[in-house]
Amino acid sequence: MKKNIFILMLCNVLWLSCNSQTNINEKYNLMPWPNDIIENTSKFIINSGITISINGEDEGRVYKAAVNFLRRLSNRSGVFIDKGFPITNEKGNIIISFETVSSLSINDDESYALNINNNTITIKAKTDVGALRGLETLLQLTANDDAKYYFPGVTINDSPRFVWRGLMIDVSRHFQPIDVLKRNLRAMASVKMNVFHWHLTDDQGFRVESKVYPKLHQLASDGLYYTQIQIKEIVNYASDLGIRVVPEFDVPGHASAFLTAYPELSSKEDYNYTIERYSGVFDPTLNPTKEITYKFLDNLFTEMASLFPDAYFHIGGDENEGKHWDENKDIQAFMTANNLKTNHELQTYFNIRLEKILKKLNKNLMGWDEIMTPNMPKSAVIHAWRGENEGLIKGGSLISAAKAGYKTVLSNGFYIDRMQSLEYHYSVEPIGNIKLTEKEHANILGGEATMWSELVTPLTIDSRIWPRTAAIAERFWSKKEVNNLENMKLRLNDVSYKLEELGITHIRNRDVILRSITNNQDISTLIDLSKICEPLKIYERNKNGVEYKTFSPFSLFADACVADAEDAVIFNKEVKAYLENSNNESLEVVKKSLKKWSNIHNSFQEIKINSKIKDLESFSENISIASEILLMGLETKKKISLNNQTNLTLAINVLKEPCMDVELAIIESLEKLSQFLLQV
Amino acid sequence: MKKNIFILMLCNVLWLSCNSQTNINEKYNLMPWPNDIIENTSKFIINSGITISINGEDEGRVYKAAVNFLRRLSNRSGVFIDKGFPITNEKGNIIISFETVSSLSINDDESYALNINNNTITIKAKTDVGALRGLETLLQLTANDDAKYYFPGVTINDSPRFVWRGLMIDVSRHFQPIDVLKRNLRAMASVKMNVFHWHLTDDQGFRVESKVYPKLHQLASDGLYYTQIQIKEIVNYASDLGIRVVPEFDVPGHASAFLTAYPELSSKEDYNYTIERYSGVFDPTLNPTKEITYKFLDNLFTEMASLFPDAYFHIGGDENEGKHWDENKDIQAFMTANNLKTNHELQTYFNIRLEKILKKLNKNLMGWDEIMTPNMPKSAVIHAWRGENEGLIKGGSLISAAKAGYKTVLSNGFYIDRMQSLEYHYSVEPIGNIKLTEKEHANILGGEATMWSELVTPLTIDSRIWPRTAAIAERFWSKKEVNNLENMKLRLNDVSYKLEELGITHIRNRDVILRSITNNQDISTLIDLSKICEPLKIYERNKNGVEYKTFSPFSLFADACVADAEDAVIFNKEVKAYLENSNNESLEVVKKSLKKWSNIHNSFQEIKINSKIKDLESFSENISIASEILLMGLETKKKISLNNQTNLTLAINVLKEPCMDVELAIIESLEKLSQFLLQV
């Protein structure tokens, strides 16, 4: 009997725990989702009496984070908090404790324990950075009813899956001012990312002041570079947020900017080196056979290493096709003399020499996965970027690197500039079911989302980074098992608009662009259009007639559109549900959407046309035609007339083609509905 | 006969010129309106072949302005311009010529002549800064038809009425980061303003790094200050835009921050000096009888003067009530010994000593108008801020100062933080019909809009500065006769949204706040409400129960609202037109608006309430009640029933009271309609 009761109780506990786990996922808009969360029945009311005290030898990181926490909480809740700064003479009702100050290395402990009850909140961490992570979790828990804001009672124990959770920003193709970086660093910290990889040089510009080689910023940046003081400002700002900064100086390829300033380092003489204005892979390459190249890089890296305290230093190393090496007789002779059979071997020779320079500077060399060649020292970190699109297997170089004994970081699958969907990025599991030894496993440091900036300016970059990067951040922090797409989307909705309080412009700048495009006419129709259009993906945007330069306009309709077009995502889901399950509720949503779009051209015609929206005219017309015919078909449930079949086909054919650098994100659903109705 | 023809021709020319002048005002969205504009029939088409060349010994100002011009033109027109930078080897189709590089003094020539024809545009100026002013005018002329963008053929000769056209930003009450200042400097330049008055110290913070007295920024800024390098960065950025920077170090009052760092300079011993968190006028005051005070200010001003190349240095000097002076026996003894009868005389003694320090540093002392006392040297510049609200006549101190032989700058009437209307500020004519000698006239340098920051943060400051400051800029630049309010409003509509391309957030951040307030629900109802509500004016916001601190929330409903509430301005105008002239078109607009508002409470109730919007509930309810009753009355043209009269009166009485720090900007119109209908 006792035994039975025990089993019954156990079942109950298990069921409750399982059930509550499901509920919990939907109750709290936490992202990344924590390791362990247990609810209690408390509520900590947010009122003017809220106070914070700090237990630990803080060097400023926790104090600043606490002040920011209070500002954000006050603005979010509307509560006039009495004590705007942490208190020192007594205990706060939020007590933050930690043991040591982090030096921001990959070995740092970022774990924390958060406990909320009616009167007290505690955050306990091994390090100050762990305390910061806990504060962000607490802020994400802010909840409200109709009368007050509060923190719900929970106990959370949390720590990251991977130690390297990065965002790379390319500031060469399009320079990004300090304030763009700062707001993105704030946003990174809010989703517990801890590495800012700063892609500082490329064909389109060298973006750091060099006192040793001043022609670099003077001749190769169009005046758009960071002073050394600004570099330090960003490094300190990131450090305050518990974020490491890894600089990248991309060599030997992607070197047009280097060679614009110092052509004597080049692999081809009598070549007109200039700052590149287009996007792509270009020929200018450092000459790896000249000693002056190493002298130069030694001096430069020595200067730059002093600006970046982090232990890692990224030398790029990607996409060097070696065309100028092939054409240079001296280089060929050097290769023969040194028994270097391929350009790849020559580049390895180059990399190994850089590795020595960096070792002297106490830096670990990191490079894109092309650097992983047989002779490369195992101290190098392999940045795995190539995958299926580059003829390899998905995420393949990560696993090869880990097995070969290299530390490695994954970016394949996280190229957010390619404008692929949230679903795509969220589903990229770095390790998957591959069996690894413990040591191999430890070699996988984590991953980085990469924001290449060929097609973004300060106006649009946030909408290309966010909110998708928050989901990627969860992939890097949370357990592998946290992978329910629909649940993640619900939480992301909340996390996304809250990024606005950190200054992120991903939502607000859409309307700015649309006002500009229409010369400040009513933008509601273009908003509706933008919610079903997505910018062309995977660099297609550069292929359709127009070739973008760095100074081309980036305030066009495509720049107002984003991946995961809001209305399209809903429509596509409901069309699927209707066609697969004859779901009636879905049918109603589908019909409502089609009704709205069948009117879109009418309202479009009320806009006074200009050359920036002219081409959208036929697009909107065909959207309305297709929507109207499909709506009629769904409503009458009768076969579409022959005439309308023709019109529908014509319209869909037009809509399959990109228009003004966007694609219609509902096109597949329209086609499916069309096929379905033809079979009625 | 010949004579008659001549007269006829003359009449024709006069009529045409007069008529075309009227037309011109409505054809071009220029602001400030230029001195002289003549149309021709040309059109300069904006296409990829547009090029700029610069004629003159440019030191970078024109080059940078030209690059920015090309970027803005490209983004605005959508045109992919081939040459993204000024060309040097040949003539551009836009040719900019100037004679000398400005050193940014108040004697600089800012005039320019702009000529546009089919193939060529010329901008000719005496100085590089004049050329910048011409480029902004050219950009404002951008026009389009349905197929292309172009510049219309015009010849413009232009120069400013006043040499001092400023904007003051208070960074003490709320610190404003570098990027806020930069975007506002860009916006200032776009409407030809040329002085940035930087209010750097006040009770709430000392905002500059001092190496001589480091406790100033270390103890009295909460870590929110500009490094000296950042100060230089802003000064250079402003200089590139042809903007002078005048720093203000407010003494001897408004000194809480000074005295938090260096209490030994105070007028009251054993007083707990701390950074002030509230707004208002406070007691802490420097001690003008101690020599260490002058030693301190000498050292500090010497350090600060080196950061600010401008010839003017603002010492504040306002609102010193001298309470601590009265209480200090040593100070009283000093006054007796030196025959200083009043606190005002003591302050004059102080000011005169500062004037000597500044003269040594080659700086002209500038101060708020309290410094204008009989013994004040005539080299001082009087900043006229007091007026009717301070018991003086409107703009009175400006005229007194000019007559007394002081150079003077007007801010009375331009306190944009008071949230008064566009109409109010635009109607402030600095000189009016007052007769002045030529010399007195020349003493009036110009004016400054003042953005005190008690109630603004980086999120909202732009919406308090713009667009009203663009109209004030016109008041400072254009002839006195340019004063047609309705015409100005038309032009301002265009200028306002184009400020967005400079990064100004006055439009976009409204929705950010409303999303935050509603926790990301549908904000359309709150947008509608915000278009008829205005934040409480003239510091009323601090009086209603809640007292704002520097760290209070400023993302409330009132912060989403602006002066000149969009729908209210239209409604009030149409109500007036209907009631005065029985205008039927106006009646239709009035009815349409009432109809919309009669539904506002229905849609408001669909929002899930929280404590940040709870109080708006009864506000929206009463708006709907009043609108519905008035609409019924206007539609039936019958007397309102007794019951409805009571309901209407009750509703209007509620709506007369401020709600959540806003006032209903249509309340007077609702009352007038109510009275009108009671008389039917």
Side-chain angles (χ1 to χ4, degrees), chain A residues 372-628:
Chain A
M372 188 169 60
T373 50
N375 298 324
M376 196 65 203
K378 292 291 187 281
S379 60
V381 179
I382 307 303
H383 196 160
W385 74 277
R386 289 178 302 173
E388 289 164 323
N389 288 290
E390 296 76 24
L392 307 182
I393 61 161
K394 193 169 168 181
S397 53
L398 183 88
I399 302 300
S400 329
K403 289 193 166 176
Y406 293 98
K407 295 254 184 289
T408 180
V409 168
L410 182 65
S411 278
N412 181 244
F414 303 119
Y415 267 46
I416 48 178
D417 64 316
R418 297 164 70 101
M419 302 308 293
Q420 288 169 283
S421 71
L422 187 60
E423 181 170 359
Y424 168 76
H425 293 298
Y426 192 64
S427 71
V428 176
E429 160 50 41
I431 302 177
N433 298 321
I434 292 165
K435 287 258 184 297
L436 295 175
T437 66
E438 201 171 314
K439 207 178 161 195
E440 287 165 355
H441 207 289
N443 282 338
I444 297 178
L445 299 179
E448 276 186 18
T450 51
M451 183 66 242
W452 300 102
S453 67
E454 283 90 344
L455 297 172
V456 298
T457 66
L459 182 72
T460 56
I461 189 168
D462 293 6
S463 74
R464 276 58 187 142
I465 299 177
W466 308 102
R468 290 175 301 156
T469 296
I472 295 173
E474 175 159 291
R475 179 58 49 250
F476 297 156
W477 176 282
S478 304
K479 288 180 194 159
K480 186 177 159 184
E481 293 71 28
V482 177
N483 60 8
N484 182 314
L485 180 69
E486 291 307 317
N487 173 267
M488 181 276 287
K489 281 185 184 174
L490 285 177
R491 290 179 286 122
L492 188 62
N493 274 344
D494 190 77
V495 168
S496 181
Y497 91 87
K498 282 183 179 154
L499 289 169
E500 293 202 283
E501 79 186 21
L502 300 167
I504 296 295
T505 63
H506 62 317
I507 301 173
R508 70 191 91 173
N509 281 3
R510 178 196 65 193
D511 293 359
V512 173
I513 296 170
L514 296 182
R515 279 190 287 271
S516 166
I517 287 177
T518 57
N519 300 332
N520 204 29
Q521 297 173 76
D522 182 348
I523 59 172
S524 51
T525 309
L526 288 186
I527 290 177
D528 285 344
L529 267 180
S530 76
K531 287 181 176 172
I532 50 174
C533 292
E534 293 179 0
L536 293 178
K537 301 185 201 318
I538 318 181
Y539 316 136
E540 287 289 321
R541 209 175 149 174
N542 259 319
K543 287 184 188 163
N544 287 283
V546 176
E547 199 171 351
Y548 283 86
K549 291 184 182 181
T550 49
F551 49 75
S552 295
F554 289 98
S555 57
L556 308 177
F557 182 67
D559 301 300
C561 298
V562 294
D564 305 298
E566 190 178 336
D567 289 353
V569 168
I570 298 166
F571 182 75
N572 294 338
K573 191 178 155 195
E574 300 295 346
V575 166
K576 191 162 180 265
Y578 171 61
L579 294 181
E580 287 179 2
N581 315 313
S582 307
N583 183 318
N584 256 328
E585 276 174 40
S586 295
L587 177 61
E588 287 313 307
V589 178
V590 169
K591 287 201 296 190
K592 201 175 158 190
S593 302
L594 291 172
K595 176 139 201 204
K596 178 171 151 186
W597 298 328
S598 67
N599 285 320
I600 214 166
H601 191 54
N602 275 340
S603 43
F604 189 91
Q605 285 178 301
E606 283 171 26
I607 306 172
K608 202 170 166 197
I609 292 300
N610 63 51
S611 49
K612 287 177 290 179
I613 48 176
K614 206 178 173 71
D615 292 350
L616 286 175
E617 215 170 2
S618 99
F619 209 60
S620 86
E621 186 177 11
N622 283 293
I623 290 170
S624 286
I625 290 170
S627 299
E628 196 174 350

Side-chain angles (χ1 to χ4, degrees), chain B residues 34-251:
Chain B
N35 262 352
D36 186 57
I37 173 168
I38 298 167
E39 294 183 284
N40 64 54
T41 54
S42 320
K43 272 187 185 181
F44 180 102
I45 310 299
I46 298 162
N47 60 30
S48 61
I50 205 165
T51 50
I52 297 184
S53 61
I54 301 168
N55 245 331
E57 294 298 315
D58 185 31
E59 289 178 2
R61 218 175 247 150
V62 178
Y63 183 89
K64 287 175 195 169
V67 170
N68 281 325
F69 173 91
L70 288 168
R71 298 293 173 278
R72 287 160 71 194
L73 185 65
S74 174
N75 278 307
R76 190 182 278 197
S77 65
V79 170
F80 285 63
I81 294 172
D82 282 340
K83 305 279 183 193
F85 299 87
I87 58 173
T88 45
N89 298 331
E90 45 186 330
K91 270 193 180 173
N93 36 40
I94 301 179
I95 303 169
I96 306 172
S97 318
F98 63 92
E99 293 166 19
T100 57
V101 170
S102 164
S103 57
L104 293 190
S105 84
I106 64 166
N107 300 317
D108 281 344
D109 189 313
E110 294 179 85
S111 69
Y112 67 91
L114 166 66
N115 185 65
I116 301 174
N117 64 37
N118 285 327
N119 305 308
T120 313
I121 294 172
T122 58
I123 293 173
K124 289 180 184 164
K126 286 270 190 307
T127 67
D128 55 347
V129 171
L132 265 52
R133 307 292 177 244
L135 266 175
E136 292 292 345
T137 299
L138 176 58
L139 203 55
Q140 287 186 342
L141 285 167
T142 316
N144 70 287
D145 55 31
D146 61 356
K148 62 188 178 305
Y149 276 72
Y150 62 90
F151 294 118
V154 292
T155 299
I156 288 176
N157 280 288
D158 200 9
S159 60
R161 179 183 178 198
F162 292 114
V163 298
W164 192 297
R165 305 178 307 280
L167 170 64
M168 188 212 77
I169 297 181
D170 165 12
V171 298
S172 178
R173 271 63 172 240
H174 278 100
F175 182 69
Q176 303 297 331
I178 292 292
D179 60 303
V180 173
L181 302 182
K182 284 188 175 175
R183 72 188 185 224
N184 277 288
L185 287 165
R186 293 192 291 269
M188 286 172 67
S190 79
V191 290
K192 303 185 173 54
M193 298 181 91
N194 66 354
V195 180
F196 169 46
H197 168 181
W198 204 349
H199 185 83
L200 285 161
T201 71
D202 217 305
D203 296 297
Q204 293 79 1
F206 187 95
R207 302 297 182 197
V208 194
E209 174 193 27
S210 170
K211 291 174 182 170
V212 181
Y213 295 111
K215 283 193 277 181
L216 285 170
H217 68 274
Q218 286 166 357
L219 302 183
S221 77
D222 299 312
L224 300 171
Y225 63 90
Y226 308 101
T227 63
Q228 297 202 352
I229 284 177
Q230 287 174 322
I231 295 280
K232 287 178 192 165
E233 183 184 344
I234 286 294
V235 169
N236 289 335
Y237 196 86
S239 169
D240 281 344
L241 297 164
I243 295 174
R244 298 165 39 222
V245 178
V246 176
E248 178 182 349
F249 294 84
D250 201 350
V251 288

